[in-house]
Amino acid sequence: MKREDIADLMAFAIIAEERSFSRAAVRLGLSSSALSHAIRLLEQRLETKLLNRTTRSVAPTAAGQRLLDRLSPALGEIAEGVEALAEERDRPSGVVRINTHRSAALLHVLPKLPILRKIYPDVHLELGVDDAMVDIVADGFDAGIRHGEQLARDMVAVRISPEYHTAVVAAPDYLTGRPEVRSPADLLQHDCLAWRYRTSGALLKWEFMQDHRKVSVDVEPVFTTDDMEVLIEATTTGAGLAYLLKEQVATHLASGQLVEVLPGFSVPHEPCYLYYPSRRQMRPAMRAVVEVLKGGIGRAAANEQPSTDAIAESHS
């Protein structure tokens, strides 16, 4: 193998990860044209087409994917070896990629960014926000954030939030002059706004604790969306009642934009966990992010625990 092959193979892996020549060029500090030229030369030397290019996307060919599958472990070891040098100078650095649903990003990650920047200025956090479950290993993420009941058993999980609670909320203007909501069954007399899972297409169930057992109400929504922020915004405009996590709308409730109905029927939900593959050695940068997100800066990840449940779709 020639020396230039190593650099070009690494460039190929980054292009495949980013699915874009322009984004890969930014990461590599090259121009898109120079990077494209390097890949063409690599394909000529290997006498194999590695990437399918269109005006909108870039993806590995079948041969390219087979090569990438062989390259990824070796390139990962090289990256970990280089970043492990940070341990010697006690200054974590590098990129940590985390996949999370929108609520966890807003509630538990963004508020801690200033702390991360202050304590670990050389750590760059990259968030992939997706309300659907993803395979963090296959998609190139270092870790993910989901609720406890949704974690695969081969992951290490670190709790980063308190327990959640469901809430049915509405704008005060919507409730004016409408039937009072005293029990879950009363919801059938109201306009309900629903959230739909992107992966399965199913509607989120409206579940309640009643007489010490969990019951569900099959509402017929007048509005449905797969974007939680859109759902909250629709609720604040007075479009109807929405079934959310109370923590998602805490500021809206505090300001009076929204009010909660049926508070005595709330259902508790698992807290959020940061999870990552147990077989992977933790990089210094990753360890720094774990410590900040769980609120244990300067301490080892003492409360790590293997999760036991199968991956399912997220409750955003």
Side-chain angles (χ1 to χ4, degrees):
M1 178 182 292
K2 298 179 180 179
R3 181 177 299 176
E4 60 266 28
D5 286 342
I6 298 176
D8 291 345
L9 286 171
M10 294 185 71
F12 159 66
I14 292 175
I15 294 168
E17 177 183 327
E18 294 288 346
R19 293 296 197 271
S20 165
F21 272 90
S22 59
R23 290 195 296 270
V26 171
R27 284 181 58 179
L28 293 168
L30 300 171
S31 67
S32 295
S33 59
L35 187 56
S36 180
H37 179 68
I39 294 302
R40 279 198 299 270
L41 292 179
L42 176 64
E43 290 176 328
Q44 289 174 9
R45 292 197 300 272
L46 297 179
E47 298 182 352
T48 304
K49 185 177 182 180
L50 301 176
L51 294 168
N52 285 320
R53 307 165 177 83
T54 70
T55 56
R56 294 186 177 182
S57 65
V58 178
T61 62
Q65 187 61 54
R66 289 193 295 271
L67 176 61
L68 190 63
D69 291 341
R70 298 292 297 272
L71 285 176
S72 294
L75 294 178
E77 289 185 12
I78 292 173
E80 289 181 5
V82 171
E83 294 193 26
L85 293 176
E87 284 186 312
E88 298 181 5
R89 52 191 177 92
D90 195 28
R91 194 177 181 87
S93 64
V95 178
V96 175
R97 302 185 72 231
I98 295 178
N99 180 275
T100 177
H101 56 75
R102 187 180 300 274
S103 297
L106 295 174
L107 292 174
H108 308 303
V109 180
L110 297 189
K112 294 181 179 178
L113 275 182
I115 300 173
L116 183 67
R117 291 295 305 149
K118 182 178 180 180
I119 306 298
Y120 302 111
D122 295 329
V123 174
H124 174 90
L125 183 60
E126 181 178 331
L127 282 187
V129 180
D130 194 336
D131 288 334
M133 287 299 300
V134 302
D135 185 331
I136 60 171
V137 176
D139 288 355
F141 290 98
D142 297 292
I145 298 175
R146 288 296 184 276
H147 294 289
E149 72 270 19
Q150 298 161 345
L151 307 182
R153 59 174 53 89
D154 61 344
M155 296 287 169
V156 172
V158 180
R159 180 171 173 167
I160 63 170
S161 83
E163 188 177 69
Y164 291 95
H165 297 83
T166 62
V168 178
V169 298
D173 288 347
Y174 168 80
L175 294 172
T176 302
R178 295 181 183 267
E180 188 174 356
V181 184
R182 295 181 177 179
S183 73
D186 294 333
L187 295 170
L188 300 177
Q189 305 176 55
H190 285 266
D191 294 341
C192 295
L193 316 178
W195 187 77
R196 187 184 298 280
Y197 291 105
R198 291 180 183 177
T199 48
S200 69
L203 293 177
L204 177 67
K205 289 183 178 180
W206 291 42
E207 296 181 321
F208 303 92
M209 292 301 298
Q210 188 170 18
D211 298 328
H212 306 291
R213 62 189 181 88
K214 188 180 291 187
V215 298
S216 62
V217 176
D218 295 325
V219 299
E220 293 191 9
V222 298
F223 173 77
T224 303
T225 179
D226 61 4
D227 188 305
M228 192 59 64
E229 292 304 302
V230 170
L231 179 59
I232 293 173
E233 184 65 23
T235 310
T236 62
T237 64
L241 293 160
Y243 183 83
L244 301 158
L245 294 177
K246 188 172 183 177
E247 292 74 11
Q248 290 173 317
V249 290
T251 56
H252 300 79
L253 292 170
S255 68
Q257 271 189 298
L258 297 176
V259 294
E260 182 180 4
V261 301
L262 301 176
F265 296 85
S266 178
V267 176
H269 273 269
E270 284 273 357
C272 275
Y273 287 83
L274 177 77
Y275 66 96
Y276 53 90
S278 57
R279 61 182 179 276
R280 180 176 296 175
Q281 181 180 4
M282 187 183 291
R283 296 180 293 120
M286 178 65 185
R287 186 177 295 112
V289 171
V290 170
E291 291 178 348
V292 170
L293 292 186
K294 76 173 185 176
I297 300 172
R299 301 198 306 265
N303 64 341
E304 292 177 2
Q305 63 185 49
S307 60
T308 57
D309 297 270
I311 286 183
E313 287 187 280
S314 75
H315 181 317
S316 141

